[in-house]
Amino acid sequence: MIVDTHNHCFPDALAPRAVEGLTVAYGLTATFDGTVEGLRARNRAVGIDLAVVQPVATKASQVVSINDWAASIRSDSVISFGAMHPDFPGPTAELRRMRELGLKGVKFQPSWQKFRPDDERMLPIYEAMQGELIAYFHGGAEIDPGMKMFGTPESLARVHEMFPHLTMVVAHMGGFLVWEQAREFLIGSEVLLDTAYCLPEHISDTDLVSLIRDHGADKVLFGSDAPCGDASAQLARIRALPLEPWELSGIPGGHAARLLGLGCGIGIAEARKEAKSAETADRV
């Protein structure tokens, strides 16, 4: 099973403007049109079984409508996390409603939402999410160098220390363009990381493999950051990395499937055992 845990799409009426805003801001070409149907078509073209949408509320007033939309787009090939904002009044009740809607997690984008992950406003939100909802964070800098970095690896590590039972995923291998900081504060922890937009022009194969191994491959998920990221190219790169079979086996989807409770994930220990059994059979 191939799972892309990091995608963005929008309601049909908003998608053209939203995608134009992203591509202009970042100087990129979109890989699909930003609609849910466009994401499903992308899945079919690339061979992705499930795409997870990560919506962002840039205003507190957007939270409820985004969560309603996120629940409405669920299908066999697309699911969505929900949204929350530091200034949303009464977040505990909305988080409870999100669970009732069947949403499995919440996306936080500190750069767009203008908050540090360890901001005091966020602490009641994390407390209510522990054991209930996955917290999915943008980590590190932005493609646009003019944007201030709020989601530092250090601040994300503080959240993990304060809320050890909060399931956290930090995108971009812990810190886009600041991987040495990610290594200092997050690598080797129990925080999950995704591979989204870790392109060859940003990080070499050698350095990416080193981060994956030092962190633990069973805590790494495949993500593309589409439509800004090309899922096909990024998936091909992950599969071509010089990793052992048991290190690679779960990254494209198995670990994410386990995280999402899909019942088909495989841990690294099981993958290593299967790979070694296959090698023994080949020798015989």
Side-chain angles (χ1 to χ4, degrees):
M1 187 174 191
I2 307 300
V3 181
D4 183 348
T5 62
H6 191 152
N7 301 271
H8 299 282
C9 63
F10 312 91
D12 290 355
L14 299 178
R17 184 175 45 159
V19 170
E20 181 182 12
L22 285 171
T23 55
V24 170
Y26 293 146
L28 301 170
T29 300
T31 57
F32 72 96
D33 66 2
T35 66
V36 177
E37 188 50 47
L39 183 57
R40 292 192 185 107
R42 189 288 310 262
N43 286 353
R44 293 190 293 270
V46 177
I48 290 171
D49 298 290
L50 180 68
V52 185
V53 177
Q54 302 292 347
V56 178
T58 56
K59 299 176 182 178
S61 59
Q62 298 170 339
V63 167
V64 172
S65 61
I66 288 177
N67 291 335
D68 288 341
W69 174 80
S72 75
I73 67 171
R74 185 185 303 118
S75 69
D76 289 343
S77 63
V78 173
I79 65 171
S80 181
F81 277 19
M84 181 49 66
H85 191 277
D87 296 326
F88 185 81
T92 301
E94 180 62 12
L95 291 167
R96 185 184 308 114
R97 191 179 79 92
M98 291 163 67
R99 295 195 301 273
E100 293 169 353
L101 288 171
L103 304 178
K104 294 179 178 292
V106 181
K107 173 63 187 290
F108 299 108
Q109 222 295 1
S111 298
W112 294 354
Q113 296 178 297
K114 303 294 188 294
F115 75 94
R116 285 179 58 90
D118 56 354
D119 188 313
E120 288 189 0
R121 294 174 296 166
M122 298 299 296
L123 305 188
I125 295 173
Y126 302 144
E127 180 67 34
M129 289 178 62
Q130 285 194 113
E132 301 288 346
L133 291 163
I134 301 161
Y136 208 115
F137 294 89
H138 170 86
E142 290 287 339
I143 299 172
D144 178 358
M147 291 187 71
K148 180 179 178 180
M149 180 171 61
F150 286 85
T152 65
E154 183 176 9
S155 65
L156 289 158
R158 286 199 198 100
V159 174
H160 180 53
E161 290 169 5
M162 288 188 286
F163 300 94
H165 301 298
L166 175 66
T167 300
M168 292 176 58
V169 182
V170 181
H172 316 297
M173 288 303 294
F176 184 64
L177 300 181
V178 291
W179 287 293
E180 285 308 309
Q181 293 180 36
R183 181 177 291 281
E184 179 179 359
F185 294 106
L186 293 174
I187 296 300
S189 72
E190 293 307 306
V191 168
L192 303 172
L193 306 179
D194 85 16
T195 63
Y197 217 78
C198 294
L199 306 183
E201 56 263 40
H202 302 140
I203 183 170
S204 69
D205 285 0
T206 299
D207 288 342
L208 182 54
V209 167
S210 176
L211 286 178
I212 291 171
R213 284 187 166 151
D214 290 346
H215 188 60
D218 56 329
K219 293 177 286 185
V220 177
L221 316 173
F222 169 66
S224 70
D225 212 355
C228 290
D230 184 333
S232 179
Q234 292 185 59
L235 183 59
R237 186 196 186 195
I238 293 299
R239 285 170 161 163
L241 290 174
L243 293 165
E244 297 294 340
W246 55 84
E247 293 175 308
L248 177 61
S249 61
I251 294 176
H255 303 324
R258 188 175 70 247
L259 173 69
L260 297 169
L262 302 182
C264 53
I266 184 168
I268 194 168
E270 293 89 346
R272 183 183 293 115
K273 183 177 179 181
E274 288 187 7
K276 288 187 175 180
S277 297
E279 291 172 3
T280 301
D282 288 343
R283 286 197 298 270
V284 172

